[in-house]
Amino acid sequence: MTKKMLIILAFCGFVHQLQAQWLLNFGTAATVAPKDFAFISGTGGQVTFIKNPATNNFTPFLAHAGLRLGISRNVDIGYRLCTVTMPWSSVGPTLGSAFDAKIRLTPTTAPYQVAVIVGGGYAYLTILDNHKSAWSPGTAVSVTRQLNVNSSITFNGRLLQTIIPTALGGKANNYVNIWGGSIGWAHNLNSVVGIIPELGIFDVKGQINHVANNGIGLQVGMVLKVDFKKSQSMQ
C-alpha cells in the first residue's frame, strides 16, 4: 500500500464529534459476490436548516466507514460505523453501529440495476448529559445505471427513523423521521480501488420531550472503496 493511500485512510478514519449522521448510501445497486467483501471509508459534510425554531447546523467533517460481505449472488450484508444524532442542541452525538442487508432485484445483465436495502442502527445519545439508547430502523432503494466500464451513476431513496425509548416521554415524544434522496457517482481507479462521491437532500421531522422541530438537511461526501474479491473484475 502506498504512502499516499495510508494518508487517505488515516484521514478518513478521523471521527469529529459534531451533530450529524450519514444518510448517504455510498454504494450502488450491485451486490458483493458470495464470500467476497468490500471496505469503504470516507468523510464529508452536512448542513441542516431547522425551521422552528430557526436553527442552522453545519458539520464540516463527518467520518464514515463500513464493510460489506457477499452472502449469495443477489444478497449481501453490511456493517457501518456512523454518528447518530437528533437535530437539537440539547442532544449530543455519538458513534453508533448499523447493520443492513441489500437485495438486488434485477439480473446482472440488466441496463438498470435495482436493489432494496433494509436495516437498522443502535447508539447511545447524550441528552442534557444523560446517556440514552437510540434505535434507527430504515430502508432504502437504489437504482444504478452503468455509464461505461469504469463508472456508474446511482439514485438512492431513503427512509429512516431514530427513536429514543428511554428518554422522558418515551419513543412517542423522542424521535426523528427522515426521508429523501441522493445521487452518487462510482468510479473505479483500478481493478480493486474506487471512489464514490455522493450528494443528497433530506426532510427532517421530529420532536424531543414534546418540543417539535422540522427542516431540510443537505449532505455531500466521498468514500474510498476497496474490493477484496477472488476475481479482479470490479462490480
Side-chain angles (χ1 to χ4, degrees):
M1 185 176 294
T2 65
K3 182 178 180 181
K4 183 178 180 180
M5 184 174 292
L6 288 173
I7 293 174
I8 293 174
L9 289 175
F11 175 74
C12 291
F14 174 70
V15 179
H16 197 68
Q17 292 296 308
L18 291 173
Q19 291 185 318
Q21 74 178 97
W22 273 131
L23 299 169
L24 302 181
N25 184 51
F26 291 124
T28 68
T31 52
V32 179
K35 299 182 180 180
D36 291 344
F37 70 96
F39 168 78
I40 62 170
S41 180
T43 189
Q46 172 181 281
V47 58
T48 304
F49 305 96
I50 301 300
K51 299 176 183 177
N52 183 27
T55 303
N56 296 335
N57 296 320
F58 173 61
T59 303
F61 295 107
L62 181 61
H64 184 86
L67 294 170
R68 300 206 71 82
L69 174 66
I71 301 300
S72 67
R73 182 178 178 87
N74 293 313
V75 177
D76 65 22
I77 58 174
Y79 170 78
R80 300 191 181 203
L81 292 175
C82 55
T83 304
V84 180
T85 188
M86 306 278 271
W88 294 279
S89 59
S90 61
V91 182
T94 186
L95 188 65
S97 298
F99 292 90
D100 66 67
K102 177 162 57 174
I103 305 169
R104 180 164 50 186
L105 304 178
T106 50
T108 57
T109 56
Y112 285 90
Q113 297 291 308
V114 180
V116 175
I117 304 168
V118 292
Y122 172 80
Y124 272 144
L125 294 178
T126 303
I127 304 178
L128 298 175
D129 296 325
N130 294 314
H131 296 292
K132 301 296 181 180
S133 298
W135 300 89
S136 297
T139 185
V141 176
S142 295
V143 180
T144 298
R145 170 66 174 176
Q146 196 73 29
L147 300 177
N148 53 53
V149 67
N150 287 318
S151 299
S152 65
I153 187 170
T154 299
F155 299 93
N156 297 288
R158 181 173 293 275
L159 177 64
L160 174 73
Q161 182 183 50
T162 299
I163 58 176
I164 309 178
T166 57
L168 183 64
K171 63 182 182 181
N173 297 302
N174 300 276
Y175 67 89
V176 166
N177 293 323
I178 300 172
W179 68 273
S182 62
I183 180 172
W185 176 63
H187 179 70
N188 298 332
L189 300 177
N190 55 45
S191 62
V192 176
V193 179
I195 57 172
I196 307 177
E198 192 171 341
L199 172 68
I201 180 170
F202 301 91
D203 180 77
V204 181
K205 288 185 175 67
Q207 65 176 345
I208 184 168
N209 195 19
H210 303 284
V211 178
N213 270 320
N214 63 86
I216 297 295
L218 303 175
Q219 284 191 349
V220 61
M222 185 175 74
V223 298
L224 183 73
K225 179 183 178 182
V226 182
D227 284 277
F228 300 90
K229 53 178 61 178
K230 300 165 187 173
S231 67
Q232 290 301 304
S233 60
M234 293 286 283
Q235 291 194 49

